[in-house]
Amino acid sequence: MRHLLTTLLATLLALVLTGCGYHFSGQASGDDIVLDSAHRKLCIRSVENPTLKPWLESLVRSRVRDEFTKRQIIEWASVKDATADMYIDVTSFTSNSSLKDSDDVTVKSSADINLTAKIVSRETGQTLWNSGNVSASQTFTTARDAAERRVVDLVLRRLADRLFEAY
C-alpha cells in the first residue's frame, strides 16, 4: 500500500510540474532562445584574444560549445554547413595572486574577464544577436589557474543566459 501511495504522489508531482511549463535548468525549449530556428546551426568563426594568455582562446571555444550544448537548442556545424557564425571578442582578462602564505604559495587569487559576442546570419550578413559586454569577476582561495578557468566558466554561463531569454 505504501509503495502504491508513493508511486501515485510521484506521478502527481510529475504531472503538476510538466503541466505548468516547468523544465529543468539547462534544458531550454525552442521558445526560450533569441535566435529563430533557421539560424541555430552555429559555427564559432573567431575568438579574438588580445591578452597574453595563449590558452584562453581554446578554453573559450570549448567552454562556449559545452555551455550552449547543455541548453540543447544550438547545433554546432562545420564552417560550410552553418547557418550563422559566432564571433567572440575577449576585451580584457586579468588575474593575480592577492595573498600568498609564508612558503610563497598562493592562497587567494582573483580573476576578471570582459567579453562580447555576436551571431551573424550566413545568408544576409545581418547581426542576429549581440551580447553587449558580459563580465565576471571572482576571488578564489584556490590556485591562480583554477581561478582563471572558473571565471571563464562563469562569464560564458552569463553569455549563454543572455542568448536564452528565459534564464
Side-chain angles (χ1 to χ4, degrees), residues 41-91:
K41 289 177 76 174
L42 294 181
C43 173
I44 300 174
R45 290 297 287 226
S46 69
V47 176
E48 295 298 320
N49 175 22
T51 73
L52 297 176
K53 307 279 186 184
W55 52 264
L56 187 58
E57 178 184 347
S58 62
L59 182 66
V60 167
R61 278 182 185 275
S62 68
R63 300 285 170 86
V64 163
R65 289 179 65 97
D66 291 347
E67 187 62 36
F68 281 43
T69 299
K70 278 192 256 182
R71 311 285 174 123
Q72 300 179 349
I73 300 295
I74 296 296
E75 180 181 338
W76 295 106
S78 66
V79 172
K80 105 181 152 113
D81 295 331
T83 57
D85 295 318
M86 177 180 271
Y87 298 88
I88 302 168
D89 184 13
V90 177
T91 53

Side-chain angles (χ1 to χ4, degrees), residues 1-151:
M1 182 66 168
R2 186 177 179 141
H3 179 62
L4 178 62
L5 184 59
T6 304
T7 304
L8 285 173
L9 286 174
T11 304
L12 180 62
L13 179 64
L15 290 172
V16 167
L17 289 177
T18 57
C20 69
Y22 179 84
H23 58 273
F24 293 103
S25 174
Q27 293 181 331
S29 71
D31 297 333
D32 296 335
I33 188 170
V34 173
L35 295 176
D36 62 28
S37 59
H39 293 101
R40 294 186 188 168
K41 289 177 76 174
L42 294 181
C43 173
I44 300 174
R45 290 297 287 226
S46 69
V47 176
E48 295 298 320
N49 175 22
T51 73
L52 297 176
K53 307 279 186 184
W55 52 264
L56 187 58
E57 178 184 347
S58 62
L59 182 66
V60 167
R61 278 182 185 275
S62 68
R63 300 285 170 86
V64 163
R65 289 179 65 97
D66 291 347
E67 187 62 36
F68 281 43
T69 299
K70 278 192 256 182
R71 311 285 174 123
Q72 300 179 349
I73 300 295
I74 296 296
E75 180 181 338
W76 295 106
S78 66
V79 172
K80 105 181 152 113
D81 295 331
T83 57
D85 295 318
M86 177 180 271
Y87 298 88
I88 302 168
D89 184 13
V90 177
T91 53
S92 68
F93 182 85
T94 58
S95 68
N96 61 56
S97 301
S98 55
L99 183 61
K100 295 188 178 214
D101 66 12
S102 59
D103 296 323
D104 205 30
V105 175
T106 300
V107 292
K108 190 172 182 184
S109 302
S110 64
D112 303 286
I113 187 169
N114 288 286
L115 58 79
T116 61
K118 68 179 178 178
I119 297 176
V120 177
S121 169
R122 181 70 64 80
E123 185 180 329
T124 65
Q126 174 187 7
T127 298
L128 303 169
W129 176 74
N130 190 327
S131 69
N133 185 59
V134 184
S135 63
S137 178
Q138 292 285 312
T139 301
F140 300 94
T141 55
T142 58
R144 185 173 169 174
D145 60 333
E148 291 173 341
R149 282 166 172 64
R150 285 184 185 171
V151 80

